Amino acid sequence: MLSHYTTHGRSIPRRNLTAATGVMEINVRPFAWHDLLTLYRNRRRVLCTNSALMLTSGSPLNPLAMLTHLDPTRGIFTAVSSGNNGEQALFGQITYVPGRRSAQLSFLLPEDELTPALLSILLEALAEVSGSWGALNLLAEIEERSVALESVRRNGFNVYAWQTIWHMQPKAGSPHAASWGSAYPIDENPVRSLYQLLVPPLVQSAEPFEQHNAQRLVFRQEGEILAYADVLSGTQGIYLQPVVHPAVANPDAVLEGLLARLPASPQRPVYVAARSYQAWL
């Protein structure tokens, strides 16, 4: 399930944040090098909220990777929320690409101890940081069965789509592979029109159409673009986000053609994300 939180463009100074809730004082501060040991001890209790990043690049909790994230100018910010009553500290991370409408919540930790008070202040701080960077929304992906779902929803996140991710096995020799090809700048208008036609307005407000994507593939049927797929590749896998017009004939074969169009890489699994507004997939 995908949720979004409106940041309202708020800005905060880069210092520790303190809030009082009842008799407990909560402190939120940027992640520091001395947090690495605590993070490592809790690495198996992480709630990943960005499936594309996890499936293509692996765990964001690698200690070396975390050290590179201490610099907020990289568009990555990790915060730590803790109380004065001995509660387990909570960790959260956001990523943001300058110029985009939305920032992305990468993970929360530990998943089984997301204390409502600590989580509320942590999410508020992360939203404020993303707003200060220029993001209008903060997006998160939460499993419907996760114990954290209700807590996240109570803290200002609204559902805008459901998503199922499939681990696919590409098949060589699909006759539809030749119908898929790289998207060129000249294809941007028809792809944008397809996006605006098939993607609900609520989703468009959270995930606006992305300008020319070097890894985007398009499907042509009788000379008309009736499907496209954004491709995210990483060292750990390939992630596909297809948008397919219901007029496409034999969509299962078309998707097989998309998979066959990818470069052969047995070491990297392929994942396909199907959104609720693309129910026929």
Side-chain angles (χ1 to χ4, degrees):
M1 187 186 73
L2 299 98
S3 301
H4 81 283
Y5 179 102
T6 303
T7 67
H8 302 300
R10 292 167 296 183
S11 178
I12 61 171
R14 300 310 307 278
R15 63 172 181 267
N16 292 3
L17 304 176
T18 302
T21 172
V23 297
M24 179 171 62
E25 184 179 86
I26 299 174
N27 178 263
V28 180
R29 58 175 175 78
F31 179 86
W33 65 268
H34 54 77
D35 295 310
L36 283 172
L37 180 58
T38 303
L39 201 66
Y40 179 78
R41 288 173 176 170
N42 292 279
R43 66 191 184 281
R44 302 189 187 280
R45 303 167 69 191
V46 61
L47 171 64
C48 177
T49 54
N50 185 344
S51 55
L53 178 65
M54 176 67 77
L55 295 174
T56 59
S57 300
S59 173
L61 299 185
N62 180 293
L64 293 179
M66 290 303 303
L67 284 174
T68 66
H69 297 168
L70 295 177
D71 181 4
T73 62
R74 298 175 61 91
I76 302 172
F77 178 73
T78 307
V80 183
S81 174
S82 58
N84 60 355
N85 293 340
E87 297 85 4
Q88 165 73 54
L90 302 186
F91 294 77
Q93 183 185 91
I94 57 172
T95 59
Y96 179 64
V97 177
R100 290 192 175 178
R101 182 182 180 89
S102 302
Q104 177 77 46
L105 185 66
S106 299
F107 70 83
L108 295 169
L109 177 154
E111 180 180 11
D112 54 344
E113 293 193 33
L114 296 178
T115 308
L118 294 180
L119 178 62
S120 177
I121 302 302
L122 175 64
L123 291 175
E124 182 74 12
L126 293 172
E128 290 182 347
V129 171
S130 61
S132 72
W133 285 348
L136 300 180
N137 299 308
L138 178 59
L139 308 182
E141 298 176 45
I142 308 290
E143 287 193 12
E144 195 168 9
R145 294 170 293 180
S146 172
V147 295
L149 175 58
E150 191 58 34
S151 295
V152 171
R153 294 185 67 175
R154 285 200 301 264
N155 282 283
F157 283 78
N158 298 307
V159 178
Y160 69 94
W162 279 263
Q163 175 175 267
T164 302
I165 300 174
W166 298 89
H167 179 194
M168 307 296 290
Q169 298 292 336
K171 297 180 181 179
S174 171
H176 286 83
S179 298
W180 286 92
S182 298
Y184 296 99
I186 195 174
D187 298 323
E188 186 165 312
N189 284 337
V191 172
R192 182 192 298 271
S193 296
L194 193 63
Y195 168 86
Q196 293 174 342
L197 176 66
L198 299 177
V199 178
L202 180 61
V203 179
Q204 294 187 36
S205 67
E207 299 179 337
F209 178 77
E210 186 178 342
Q211 300 291 337
H212 179 60
N213 183 341
Q215 295 194 78
R216 178 174 290 155
L217 298 173
V218 296
F219 172 80
R220 289 179 170 83
Q221 182 174 294
E222 298 180 356
E224 182 180 3
I225 294 178
L226 291 183
Y228 72 90
D230 286 327
V231 184
L232 181 63
S233 298
T235 57
Q236 302 299 311
I238 300 174
Y239 186 92
L240 302 175
Q241 180 71 65
V243 175
V244 181
H245 196 284
V248 166
N250 201 359
D252 54 341
V254 169
L255 288 177
E256 284 187 359
L258 169 62
L259 298 175
R261 180 67 174 72
L262 299 174
S265 180
Q267 292 78 24
R268 292 192 299 171
V270 177
Y271 303 94
V272 178
R275 295 285 180 85
S276 50
Y277 53 84
Q278 292 271 279
W280 52 89
L281 294 184

